[in-house]
Amino acid sequence: MITNFKTLAVLLCMIGFMSCNANDKKNKKQLALIETKAPHPNKQSIKVTLLLDTSNSMDGLIDQAKAQLWDIVNELSYAKCGDEQPNLNIALYEYGNDNLNAEEGYIRQVIAFSDDLDEISKQLFSLTTNGGNEYCGQVIQTSLNQLQWGENQDDLKLIFIAGNEPFSQGKINYQDAAKQAHNNGVSVNTIFCGDYNQGISSFWKDGADLAHGDYMAINHNHETTYVATPYDDKILKLNQKLNGTYIAYGNIGRTKMALQAEQDDNAQGYSDENAVSRTVSKSSHLYKNSSWDLVDAEKDKDFKYSNLRKTELPVELKDKSTKEIKAYILKKRKRRESIKTEIQKLNEKRRQFMKTQQKQDDNGLENAMIKAIKTQAKEKNYTW
């Protein structure tokens, strides 16, 4: 009877041991993990690389990317893999700009994989157009070779390349680049800026098909439209309160806090609604600032109060004891969590309101990307 009970217990443990890609796990590995009580595997990540054509004709595309960044981030913040909320890492390349190095194929890595959303926004807003020569195969291959894609089989790895010249240009064959992406577990999604059939005839669809991605065509010159809601003003006021919960420290603290304010201004420059979308992003689990904010930093497992230098602390904490610093951070943390909860509640009402206001045109960058991400995420059991 005792033996049967033990057997039943082991079987129950095995049934409960799941991950988003559990079907790929071998029974021996499962048993070993159960017996040793291994820690939970590393959190899954959604890794998105944007390859944006910054030649003269692409001003509309870049404008859409700037205007829709926070809506894309917000949609990804709702993703789940089992009970986990995956991390988000974004990388950005520009290509086809005559200001870039010709020997490197007119390609520039703007930012490698990063979860610093303020820095990503800053770099996106720094893009300008000029030129040029668009080598799709080469920029895909460059991003595959340069970026740290990782070995986690549960990660969702996606490239989005947008442009409007033939996909076959350049010395690197796009078919070889697509094959390399597929072999590395990375899907390539192509976004042709123009007529759908023209994109097919210029090999954009073939590029996506070879790398098991989606082909899409968008009107890149279409101005982003926003839906105002009755909750926007309240959310914007909460953003100011949220900013007041950050405790800048270290050599980069003040610079990063200024960057946070700058990206608030950049979002506001498009519209109140875009600023609201950014505020919602700031209230999500994807907005992390442990490199300069003590409230976020304290949550890191490697954080130690004993490592804090008085010279790195803000004025209000320089003469405080460790006990007083802990109390101060705790107060700010509680305040932040309360504000974030309030923003999320208002945003849920905002989302319901927006569903009743159907957009007349969804032929833009945001909708193309989100549709592709959700389609491919299903294959790894990601849900929304």
Side-chain angles (χ1 to χ4, degrees), residues 284-343:
S284 77
H285 69 282
L286 297 179
Y287 190 70
K288 307 169 185 177
N289 295 288
S290 58
S291 66
W292 64 270
D293 166 54
L294 279 176
V295 177
D296 280 352
E298 191 197 35
K299 292 187 291 186
D300 287 353
K301 63 180 181 179
D302 296 329
F303 178 84
K304 293 181 180 179
Y305 280 94
S306 58
N307 291 338
L308 289 177
R309 298 177 182 178
K310 294 290 184 182
T311 55
E312 295 181 338
L313 294 174
V315 175
E316 63 268 26
L317 295 181
K318 285 187 181 296
D319 297 323
K320 302 293 184 181
S321 66
T322 298
K323 182 179 180 180
E324 290 172 321
I325 293 173
K326 286 182 179 180
Y328 186 83
I329 293 176
L330 179 60
K331 182 179 179 180
K332 291 285 188 179
R333 182 186 306 285
K334 288 181 177 179
R335 176 66 171 155
R336 182 179 301 177
E337 292 304 320
S338 174
I339 294 170
K340 289 168 68 173
T341 299
E342 193 171 353
I343 292 172

Side-chain angles (χ1 to χ4, degrees), residues 101-107 133-142 145 166-177:
N101 192 327
E103 294 181 359
E104 296 177 358
Y106 302 102
I107 295 166
N133 293 284
E134 296 97 298
Y135 303 147
C136 296
Q138 189 166 354
V139 70
I140 291 170
Q141 186 182 82
T142 298
N145 293 339
F167 207 70
S168 54
Q169 291 185 125
K171 62 182 180 180
I172 303 299
N173 190 315
Y174 75 87
Q175 295 175 334
D176 293 335

Side-chain angles (χ1 to χ4, degrees), residues 18-27 30 154 379 381:
M18 297 178 66
S19 72
C20 284
N21 228 10
N23 291 335
D24 294 331
K25 310 298 182 184
K26 293 183 179 180
N27 289 336
Q30 287 181 325
D154 293 333
E379 298 178 5
N381 296 326

Side-chain angles (χ1 to χ4, degrees), residues 49-232:
T49 298
L50 295 174
L51 313 178
L52 299 180
D53 179 353
T54 56
S55 61
N56 274 335
S57 57
M58 291 291 103
D59 292 284
L61 172 69
I62 305 306
D63 195 64
Q64 281 193 25
K66 294 174 183 177
Q68 298 170 9
L69 170 65
W70 302 112
D71 286 333
I72 294 170
V73 169
N74 288 337
E75 195 62 35
L76 295 180
S77 74
Y78 308 132
K80 283 192 174 183
C81 187
D83 293 329
E84 294 279 352
Q85 291 180 300
N87 295 313
L88 174 64
N89 289 276
I90 297 175
L92 177 63
Y93 282 77
E94 63 169 321
Y95 75 102
N97 190 316
D98 280 351
N99 288 332
L100 306 178
N101 192 327
E103 294 181 359
E104 296 177 358
Y106 302 102
I107 295 166
R108 179 174 75 96
Q109 183 187 90
V110 182
I111 186 169
F113 279 131
S114 174
D115 61 4
D116 187 337
L117 296 179
D118 286 342
E119 187 64 31
I120 292 166
S121 176
K122 173 189 172 183
Q123 295 301 332
L124 188 57
F125 272 84
S126 73
L127 295 180
T128 57
T129 58
N130 186 57
N133 293 284
E134 296 97 298
Y135 303 147
C136 296
Q138 189 166 354
V139 70
I140 291 170
Q141 186 182 82
T142 298
S143 68
L144 290 169
N145 293 339
Q146 288 185 348
L147 295 173
Q148 299 297 316
W149 290 94
E151 301 297 328
N152 192 338
Q153 297 299 309
D154 293 333
D155 285 349
L156 190 60
K157 303 172 183 178
L158 311 127
I159 287 175
F160 287 88
I161 178 169
N164 69 343
E165 293 294 327
F167 207 70
S168 54
Q169 291 185 125
K171 62 182 180 180
I172 303 299
N173 190 315
Y174 75 87
Q175 295 175 334
D176 293 335
K179 186 180 296 184
Q180 180 181 344
H182 176 60
N183 291 339
N184 292 352
V186 180
S187 63
V188 178
N189 302 277
T190 63
I191 303 174
F192 182 71
C193 299
D195 178 73
Y196 186 89
N197 290 322
Q198 184 183 349
I200 293 177
S201 64
S202 54
F203 306 105
W204 284 77
K205 186 177 186 301
D206 190 44
D209 290 344
L210 289 170
H212 297 269
D214 288 357
Y215 163 67
M216 299 148 281
I218 65 171
N219 177 5
H220 61 293
N221 290 317
H222 178 69
E223 186 175 350
T224 302
T225 57
Y226 299 98
V227 177
T229 80
Y231 313 101
D232 293 352

